[in-house]
Amino acid sequence: MRVRGWSGRSGLAKVHLYTRGTVYLLVWVALFALTLLMLTRPVRLGTHPVVAVGAPLLAVANGVLSTLLARQAMDAYLGQGPVPPRLVGRAAAAAALATGTALWLAATVGMEEMLPMALSTALIPFVTAHCLIVRRRTTVLIHAGVLALLAVLVPLTGRGTAETLFTLGTVAFSIGWLAFTARISMWVLAVMWELREARDVQARLAVAEERLRFGRDLHDVLGRNLAVIALKSELAVQLAQRGGERRALEQMTEVQRIARESQREVRDVVRGYRGADLRTELDGTRGVLGAAGISCTIESPDAGPPAEELPAEVQSALAWVVREATTNVLRHGDAAHCAIGLTTTAGAAVLTVENDGVRGRTAPGAPGTGLTGLRERLAVLDGTLDAGPAPGARFRLTARVPVPAGGTDLPRQEPPAPAGGTDDPARAGVAADERAADERAPGAEPGGTERGAVV
């Protein structure tokens, strides 16, 4: 498994790594300082080897257990699992033993002015992790209890009132400030996770809203006509049973007309849904990305006709490229800026969409993705689509579509539904029904009946 470097990570991954690294760094810097304090003074004074070795080992145990607690506490703060109570108890016991050892060394071998630092470094690893799993009020109460206990124990080491107050003030500031730093850092990380989840929900809601709109349009088109067809068909059956064949024929002719009219209206809905205006999509993209906190710049063409003068088929194809690229930026990247450029030179319209949200989790253009559908759509117009990483940890998508001289319209062709893109399978089914209906009725008159039809 290849470990990605710092530049290959997303913004959220960088903040996540930085925050966790900061908490671990606080724990192990305190551990290193405590180990040195418990090792240098007893060794210099020739203390018993058990004390000279046991005290540093106790400091290391305090750091290891606090590190395990910090990892579980950070996961719990982000809602990724509970913290085992047994681990909390073990880390608290190790911190208490380390603190007691520091007081004992101060009373026996004398630590001079090093006692405030020794007590602070003994408590910091535990309180830095523990403050993430309890409320702020509970943290304040625990700190107050620890300081009250130290106010009783520190004078027993031979310190005077002034030294005791200085020691308590140093310990209070150290554990309070570092607990605040750890908690505020994790709060910022939790907010960023919530923003990422909100962006994903926003993208899913946009897709769901578009599907609802399409379903609502189909309901508006087909609801009344299908009800009329059902009623007229039932009436035709009743008339035929009563011997009114001619009136039944008239009703069925009307049913045929309504059915063909419904087919035409459904076709218009599907074509309108598939069709897209380039300028509208560009304006919409700027608004959607801006709402998601991503700055978007759109460069106007330097040469050639403006976007509004491109053939309708070219505009529609490029508009779908903009729509799919915007979806990918929102769902598959962690971009802060997106740049869209359109040039219409050398007999071709070239659209580029570039963003700085490379994550490397989804292979662009892989089978079954929206990019495959875009390639099929552009292939109808002899266009091409290229997508891949760009210099500077960026991702670039380039679509090129030929434009006839003079900007004349291209031959009108219905683009295929993207395989795994943004079109629903239901719309592909409607297109298939249209082709089948055209094949079944090659001689249909504009009035809705076939020539030579016999009922």
Side-chain angles (χ1 to χ4, degrees):
M1 180 178 179
R2 185 175 65 89
V3 179
R4 291 181 300 171
W6 177 263
S7 60
R9 296 176 181 268
S10 64
L12 179 59
K14 290 179 179 178
V15 174
H16 186 88
L17 180 62
Y18 173 79
T19 303
R20 284 183 174 268
T22 300
V23 174
Y24 290 140
L25 183 64
L26 294 176
V27 173
W28 283 96
V29 166
L31 165 65
F32 181 73
L34 180 61
T35 303
L36 290 180
L37 289 174
M38 289 187 173
L39 182 63
T40 56
R41 186 68 177 175
V43 171
R44 184 186 306 171
L45 298 178
T47 310
H48 194 279
V50 175
V51 177
V53 176
L57 290 179
L58 181 59
V60 173
N62 181 28
V64 171
L65 290 173
S66 297
T67 300
L68 297 176
L69 178 61
R71 184 182 65 179
Q72 297 287 343
M74 287 187 285
D75 291 340
Y77 193 91
L78 297 176
Q80 299 176 359
V83 178
R86 183 177 300 178
L87 178 60
V88 179
R90 292 175 178 174
L97 289 175
T99 303
T101 303
L103 291 170
W104 180 77
L105 290 176
T108 56
V109 302
M111 299 187 71
E112 299 177 351
E113 69 278 2
M114 296 298 180
L115 180 59
M117 181 179 295
L119 293 177
S120 298
T121 54
L123 292 171
I124 283 174
F126 175 74
V127 299
T128 300
H130 188 259
C131 70
L132 300 177
I133 58 177
V134 296
R135 297 182 178 180
R136 292 187 297 271
R137 181 180 302 178
T138 304
T139 300
V140 173
L141 293 177
I142 292 176
H143 288 189
V146 170
L147 293 175
L149 183 60
L150 291 178
V152 176
L153 296 178
V154 171
L156 299 179
T157 63
R159 266 64 180 174
T161 303
E163 292 180 343
T164 300
L165 292 177
F166 177 77
T167 300
L168 294 178
T170 302
V171 173
F173 175 79
S174 300
I175 64 177
W177 174 253
L178 292 178
F180 172 78
T181 301
R183 194 175 184 95
I184 199 67
S185 299
M186 290 303 301
W187 176 79
V188 172
L189 180 60
V191 170
M192 293 194 66
W193 274 109
E194 292 177 359
L195 291 177
R196 164 55 60 85
E197 294 176 357
R199 179 182 297 181
D200 294 340
V201 171
Q202 182 184 26
R204 290 195 297 268
L205 288 177
V207 174
E209 182 179 359
E210 187 65 13
R211 289 176 177 174
L212 288 175
R213 186 195 70 81
F214 182 72
R216 185 170 58 250
D217 291 347
L218 284 181
H219 177 271
D220 294 341
V221 168
L222 293 179
R224 182 186 65 83
N225 290 349
L226 289 177
V228 174
I229 289 174
L231 292 175
K232 287 186 173 292
S233 299
E234 182 179 357
L235 178 58
V237 171
Q238 295 178 359
L239 291 175
Q241 291 175 347
R242 297 174 185 176
E245 288 81 0
R246 183 169 185 80
R247 295 182 59 189
L249 175 62
E250 293 176 355
Q251 294 296 328
M252 292 307 299
T253 302
E254 182 67 12
V255 167
Q256 185 184 38
R257 185 192 66 79
I258 296 174
R260 291 190 177 279
E261 181 67 19
S262 300
Q263 185 184 41
R264 184 189 62 79
E265 291 178 353
V266 170
R267 188 177 303 173
D268 292 340
V269 170
V270 173
R271 286 176 177 171
Y273 186 71
R274 286 177 177 173
D277 179 72
L278 180 56
R279 179 57 57 188
T280 302
E281 288 297 328
L282 290 174
D283 295 338
T285 294
R286 183 188 286 112
V288 170
L289 294 181
I294 303 173
S295 64
C296 179
T297 57
I298 300 177
E299 301 177 0
S300 301
D302 298 329
E308 292 81 358
E309 297 181 11
L310 292 174
E313 289 79 5
V314 176
Q315 284 199 49
S316 179
L318 295 180
W320 276 105
V321 173
V322 173
R323 182 179 299 183
E324 180 65 26
T326 303
T327 302
N328 289 339
V329 170
L330 290 174
R331 299 187 63 181
H332 302 304
D334 191 37
H337 178 73
C338 180
I340 302 176
L342 175 66
T343 57
T344 54
T345 58
V350 180
L351 176 74
T352 59
V353 181
E354 184 172 318
N355 69 89
D356 56 359
V358 175
R359 294 174 62 180
R361 294 194 311 179
T362 303
T369 64
L371 296 183
T372 300
L374 290 179
R375 287 190 174 93
E376 295 177 358
R377 187 179 291 273
L378 295 177
V380 175
L381 305 177
D382 296 329
T384 59
L385 180 72
D386 296 321
R394 304 176 70 84
F395 185 86
R396 180 183 300 149
L397 185 147
T398 304
R400 181 184 299 272
V401 181
V403 177
T408 58
D409 287 345
L410 298 172
R412 190 171 190 84
Q413 302 183 52
E414 186 68 22
T422 53
D423 284 347
D424 283 342
R427 279 175 276 147
V430 172
D433 292 341
E434 295 172 4
R435 292 191 296 269
D438 293 339
E439 293 174 357
R440 289 195 301 267
E445 292 287 345
T449 59
E450 298 180 9
R451 290 184 303 222
V454 178
V455 181

